[in-house]
Amino acid sequence: SLTEPLGVNRLPMTIFFSPVQWWHAVLFCVLTLGWQTAAHADAYTDVQRKVRNLQWSQAQQAAQTHLQAHPNDPQMRLLLSQIQAGLGDATSAQATLQQLTQDYPELPEPHNNLAASYAAQGRLDMALLSLKTAVAARPDYTVALENLGDVYLLLAQQAYAKAATSPAPSHKLGDKRQQLEALIKSAP
């Protein structure tokens, strides 16, 4: 089942990336961009620890301090969006993610997390577009692929509901809706 970043309402989906995938992104930047130093690693560790402990204000302060010195750091900006969501500021979190997708379109995580934000708002068309972009950026990105499937399930659910209100719904429509509902409810 789809879950969103910390601090955001949960949906019957999984839109976020695992800690292993997070470190994969950090490793990508180390190898590709070559600008992660020990000081950066300490800053990430500090902010992530505060996030894990739900110390949102302290995490935000530490992230902003780091970003003052390194304003283009995509990983810290991604963490900042998670912190903003944790503080209940979905608008700022979404704006941070949108800017990240513009500045670093090759990174799939911001697209994936932006999809979570859109899905939480019921904007499944935008979530679908963001997830397709994430998968295009990294075709083996398992979380985005799973989330893409979940968004398709929700779109199917909407289509079946709309079809049920048509003047002559199919006699198989009820069975399809029940099977889809069961599938969605059974997802972990």
Side-chain angles (χ1 to χ4, degrees):
S1 128
L2 276 156
T3 15
E4 295 184 46
L6 293 175
V8 179
N9 294 331
R10 295 186 181 264
L11 295 174
M13 301 189 215
T14 309
I15 299 183
F16 198 55
F17 53 92
S18 71
V20 171
Q21 289 163 327
W22 168 260
W23 286 111
H24 176 76
V26 171
L27 182 60
F28 167 81
C29 285
V30 170
L31 297 175
T32 307
L33 304 175
W35 32 258
Q36 183 172 359
T37 64
H40 280 101
D42 290 342
Y44 297 132
T45 302
D46 181 48
V47 171
Q48 288 172 333
R49 180 181 45 78
K50 289 174 179 163
V51 167
R52 275 191 309 277
N53 293 327
L54 305 179
Q55 298 171 324
W56 299 114
S57 296
Q58 297 93 327
Q60 183 177 37
Q61 183 178 8
Q64 288 173 336
T65 298
H66 176 84
L67 287 169
Q68 285 175 351
H70 310 281
N72 296 320
D73 182 343
Q75 278 68 40
M76 190 60 74
R77 288 167 60 191
L78 192 62
L79 266 173
L80 179 61
S81 73
Q82 183 180 355
I83 293 163
Q84 291 164 328
L87 286 167
D89 190 358
T91 302
S92 293
Q94 190 169 15
T96 299
L97 289 167
Q98 286 171 333
Q99 190 61 53
L100 265 171
T101 63
Q102 291 172 9
D103 294 345
Y104 300 96
E106 72 279 6
L107 294 178
E109 290 84 1
H111 294 286
N112 184 67
N113 291 6
L114 187 56
S117 178
Y118 289 140
Q121 298 167 354
R123 297 171 62 192
L124 296 179
D125 56 335
M126 296 299 293
L128 182 63
L129 181 62
S130 290
L131 288 167
K132 285 182 175 181
T133 304
V135 171
R138 191 166 85 215
D140 65 342
Y141 187 23
T142 305
V143 172
L145 289 166
E146 181 180 348
N147 292 339
L148 185 60
D150 290 337
V151 167
Y152 279 128
L153 286 174
L154 291 174
L155 288 169
Q157 186 178 38
Q158 286 180 353
Y160 287 155
K162 188 173 181 178
T165 64
S166 70
S170 162
H171 66 281
K172 293 183 179 183
L173 182 61
D175 290 340
K176 289 178 182 181
R177 287 182 75 184
Q178 286 178 350
Q179 289 172 354
L180 181 62
E181 293 295 328
L183 176 64
I184 290 172
K185 286 179 184 177
S186 70

